[in-house]
Amino acid sequence: MAKIKGAIVVDIEKCKGCEVCVISCPTHVISMTKDVNGKGYHYAYMENPDSCTGCTNCAIVCPDGVISVYKIKVDA
Amino acid sequence: MQDTLTTKDIIKPENLVYSKTKLLTDTPLSYCPGCGHGTANRLVMEVIDEMGIQSQTIGIAPVGCSVLAYNFMNIDMIQAAHGRAPAVATAVKRVFPDKYVFTYQGDGDLAAIGTSETIHACNRGENITIVFINNGIYGMTGGQMAPTTLPNMKASTCPYGRDVEIMGHPLKITELVAQLPGTYYVTRQAVHTPAAVRKAKKAIRKAIENQKLKKGLSFVEIVSNCNSGWKMTPNDSNKWMEENMFPEYPMGDIKVPSEI
Amino acid sequence: MKELKLMKGNEAFAEGTIRAGADAYFGYPITPQSEVLEYLMTVRPYETTGMVVLQAESEIAAINMVYGGACCGKRVLTSSSSPGISLKQEGISYLAGAELPCVILNVVRGGPGLGTIQPSQSDYFQSVKGGGHGDYKCIVLAPSSVQEMYDFPKLGFELAFKYRNPVLILSDGIIGQMMEKVYLDESTPRWTEEEIIKNNSDWATTGKTSDRERNIITSLILEAAIQEKHVIKLYEKYKVIEDNEIRYEKFQCDDAEYLFVAYGSSARVCQKSVQLLREKGIKAGLLRPITLSPYPKKAIKDLSKQVKSIVVVEMSMGQMVEDVMLSVECKIPVNHFGRTGGVIPSPNEVADFMMKKIKGE
């Protein structure tokens, strides 16, 4: 059985920490860092990377277009 | 095998399934964190990218929060005087009838100062696309009452809430332009959830593709949040929008071209 | 070969725009210039040259349509009369700020307010001193005949594109409404799409191709220092225009001892007054500025060394007279004779006024 694994890359310096991606992720992958970026925003990161399915929901709702999504099909 | 698969193994160019379109420049957007403008800007550019019409598209930016849209959209752009984008777009389309022309306007620009230009461009059936962002407030100037501000909604020029007895009613300009024979496609969308974004993108694509048909104006309203103006967190503002804006401005197509 | 026709000023202007290779006209009816749009809609150049003609919903929409067409590197124009031109001022300021070429005709009527539909020259200040907000100048041409109403659209486009600047043609209700013979020349063809791209794609919004960066037309410059730099650049351009484009006409100035300075219809009146005065042995002459901006300051200053005094004749309470005074630097007396509110001065009253001033009354 094939399984989908995903991952996201956040453009940290452009993230404004709005958290819209956090609630849009169906598998609760994303959280905000305790650190801040150069503009003083907490930024999005994968807290639970194993749960990412690469569905792109976070990326398409991101108002600043800072999320890139990668996806791979792995055989079980 | 999956147990050994690391994030690093997934993040490879051949596995990329989504990234920001190249038709958005690398200039950081000037919008507030969580503002739907950024998503709407991106959707318009994604559609133009996917249609392969960068060299044939001219965009018109308004006055308001999206006045600087020309810094973000990697196409030829014109910045119009406040409210006049539909007049500017009319001329661009008339002198370049085969180009794709769109305006991107907020509620103050389109539904207050520019009401005349909006209605007449719609009524003439100009073969352009209007993308209208309705967040019920003047964002750029600091949260003043807009024509679309809801009854009892607070803004800096109606600090006790919009009293319709004194300040009039919210203007449903999208329903209004749908009545005009010159509009071909009129729809109301949102961009606050992944599902809404996917729908809105389809609507924008249709609205721009319609220009090829030369059958009139396509009008896409996007009901959006203004978390700074509404004084809420982005996620709270989106929830508030669903609960308060959507009943006044219901989602969905208002005028759909009938198939012949 | 030139074609000879009897035409109204407004019609001659309209015909001139077609023959100047205009791409689009956007207008709104107002007396006394509605014949421009009427003529164009009757002749229908959109079926021959492909020129767009559109009646806008307002003067504001019309000038912003001009802005849109000008952004595309096309030859576009509008026309109106005084109250309508007031409405266009924001758009003209944007056009000047964004350095866009276009032609705007003002067939002036008397004001202020709704005023009168009779001819006037009371929009001089509005035309040459800015009109809209901000630091900018239009090139201002003042026709005094129906022939010039025909000729100036072409000249206007030449200047507008040479300097990427709005050109205002400041006419009046007399010139717009009267009929005279006009020589019509060969038509200038409209630019092809290829020519537009070749001539203007370094700035115009013609569609971003892979061989160039995107073109952005805006007058928004948020940083004060950069806005200042932009305005200084505009004023350097205006200096070049002043050095190269001043136009005026002298009438019997060679031996003149007394000088009229007048433009447009008033210059025609003064031409007769010069004749009447010369019949009485007074050596009068006339200088008619054709460009009101840039203003022929040097030509007037040079003549001020020759003549004893100047009378400025205007159909206004005295607007251009200030520029004449600045030109002569208080070296000789400068008097103003004006009729306003739509009243046209007669050659006799103008000549009598000059006589009185000569006698020191």
Side-chain angles (χ1 to χ4, degrees), chain B residues 196-209:
Chain B
V197 168
R198 291 191 175 96
K199 268 189 171 172
K201 186 171 168 183
K202 275 190 193 137
I204 292 168
R205 170 130 191 175
K206 190 170 166 184
I208 290 179
E209 282 178 341

Side-chain angles (χ1 to χ4, degrees), chain C residues 78-143:
Chain C
T78 186
S79 65
S80 190
S81 178
S82 309
I85 294 288
S86 292
L87 282 170
K88 289 184 195 286
Q89 290 301 335
E90 181 200 34
I92 296 172
S93 169
Y94 271 65
L95 285 153
E99 293 194 83
L100 293 172
C102 68
V103 170
I104 303 147
L105 169 69
N106 183 1
V107 183
V108 180
R109 58 190 250 183
L114 197 51
T116 169
I117 59 169
Q118 304 299 323
S120 180
Q121 294 182 316
S122 46
D123 295 354
Y124 179 89
F125 281 153
Q126 187 196 51
S127 309
V128 308
K129 309 290 180 192
H133 59 283
D135 269 331
Y136 77 91
K137 289 180 185 191
C138 290
I139 297 170
V140 182
L141 302 172

Side-chain angles (χ1 to χ4, degrees), chain B residues 233-248:
Chain B
T233 67
N235 282 331
D236 286 350
S237 72
N238 283 333
K239 195 159 168 272
W240 190 90
M241 175 174 77
E242 283 182 352
E243 289 165 1
N244 297 278
M245 294 283 279
F246 287 8
E248 186 81 20

Side-chain angles (χ1 to χ4, degrees), chain B residues 36-112:
Chain B
H37 263 305
T39 312
N41 278 203
R42 178 164 47 81
L43 291 186
V44 176
M45 286 303 104
E46 281 181 4
V47 165
I48 287 162
D49 191 6
E50 287 163 20
M51 288 175 69
I53 55 169
Q54 180 191 30
S55 66
Q56 303 157 61
T57 306
I58 294 158
I60 325 285
V63 168
C65 287
S66 46
V67 64
L68 292 171
Y70 56 76
N71 282 340
F72 318 133
M73 297 181 173
N74 190 12
I75 54 168
D76 279 3
M77 290 283 291
I78 298 167
Q79 196 283 311
H82 199 10
R84 317 301 171 212
V88 174
T90 293
V92 173
K93 188 71 179 186
R94 295 273 180 146
V95 301
F96 279 145
D98 297 325
K99 301 250 194 270
Y100 294 88
V101 181
F102 71 88
T103 72
Y104 184 101
Q105 304 175 258
D107 42 68
D109 192 80
L110 179 140

Side-chain angles (χ1 to χ4, degrees), chain B residues 70 77-79, chain C residues 67 71 98 100 203-205 215-219:
Chain B
Y70 56 76
M77 290 283 291
I78 298 167
Q79 196 283 311
Chain C
Y67 182 85
C71 285
L100 293 172
W203 60 270
T205 53
N215 285 334
I216 297 168
I217 309 255
T218 181
S219 57

Side-chain angles (χ1 to χ4, degrees), chain C residues 48-333:
Chain C
T48 50
T49 71
M51 175 184 175
V52 172
V53 185
L54 185 62
Q55 178 169 339
E57 62 269 32
S58 67
E59 284 93 347
I60 295 172
I63 194 70
N64 284 283
M65 288 174 185
V66 166
Y67 182 85
C71 285
C72 299
K74 301 265 184 171
R75 294 190 188 112
V76 292
L77 69 144
T78 186
S79 65
S80 190
S81 178
S82 309
I85 294 288
S86 292
L87 282 170
K88 289 184 195 286
Q89 290 301 335
E90 181 200 34
I92 296 172
S93 169
Y94 271 65
L95 285 153
E99 293 194 83
L100 293 172
C102 68
V103 170
I104 303 147
L105 169 69
N106 183 1
V107 183
V108 180
R109 58 190 250 183
L114 197 51
T116 169
I117 59 169
Q118 304 299 323
S120 180
Q121 294 182 316
S122 46
D123 295 354
Y124 179 89
F125 281 153
Q126 187 196 51
S127 309
V128 308
K129 309 290 180 192
H133 59 283
D135 269 331
Y136 77 91
K137 289 180 185 191
C138 290
I139 297 170
V140 182
L141 302 172
S144 77
S145 64
V146 174
Q147 183 67 51
E148 284 183 336
M149 286 290 272
Y150 170 82
D151 292 336
F152 282 5
K154 189 175 175 181
L155 172 64
F157 281 131
E158 279 167 19
L159 295 172
F161 277 88
K162 187 172 174 187
Y163 298 103
R164 273 182 59 197
N165 205 69
V167 170
L168 186 71
I169 299 176
L170 189 67
S171 184
D172 64 60
I174 301 173
I175 315 271
Q177 291 297 324
M178 74 182 179
M179 293 187 89
E180 278 186 319
K181 65 177 182 187
V182 190
Y183 288 99
L184 306 176
D185 57 3
E186 293 289 317
S187 292
T188 305
R190 285 179 56 228
W191 283 323
T192 61
E193 300 281 299
E194 291 73 36
E195 284 170 319
I196 298 256
I197 287 169
K198 186 171 156 271
N199 297 342
N200 304 324
S201 71
D202 55 329
W203 60 270
T205 53
T206 53
K208 188 214 170 297
T209 43
S210 53
D211 57 348
R212 66 160 171 85
E213 287 299 300
R214 70 190 193 282
N215 285 334
I216 297 168
I217 309 255
T218 181
S219 57
L220 174 70
I221 305 169
L222 289 167
E223 233 174 283
I226 302 175
Q227 175 71 53
E228 185 189 48
K229 221 171 127 185
H230 174 63
V231 173
I232 289 169
K233 196 190 95 187
L234 291 181
Y235 274 71
E236 284 165 0
K237 176 173 82 175
Y238 302 151
K239 180 74 179 60
V240 175
I241 297 172
E242 192 174 344
D243 291 344
N244 294 291
E245 306 299 345
I246 287 174
R247 286 167 167 78
Y248 56 86
E249 190 180 63
K250 284 182 186 174
F251 179 72
Q252 304 213 353
C253 281
D254 288 350
D255 62 343
E257 291 174 2
Y258 300 96
L259 183 70
F260 286 115
V261 180
Y263 70 95
S265 293
S266 292
R268 295 173 71 108
V269 174
C270 288
Q271 223 169 317
K272 182 72 184 170
S273 307
V274 166
Q275 199 187 323
L276 292 172
L277 286 163
R278 285 199 173 246
E279 280 165 13
K280 290 179 185 165
I282 306 289
K283 286 180 179 168
L286 163 69
L287 184 136
R288 173 174 80 93
I290 296 171
T291 53
L292 298 178
S293 168
Y295 196 71
K297 277 183 271 187
K298 192 179 170 296
I300 293 172
K301 191 183 174 183
D302 289 348
L303 273 172
S304 74
K305 290 166 192 158
Q306 170 192 326
V307 302
K308 291 172 184 158
S309 68
I310 293 177
V311 169
V312 179
V313 180
E314 296 173 81
M315 293 192 293
S316 78
M317 292 303 285
Q319 300 191 12
M320 185 179 77
V321 62
E322 293 188 5
D323 283 332
V324 177
M325 284 171 163
L326 287 169
S327 303
V328 306
E329 294 166 358
C330 302
K331 298 275 163 47
I332 57 167

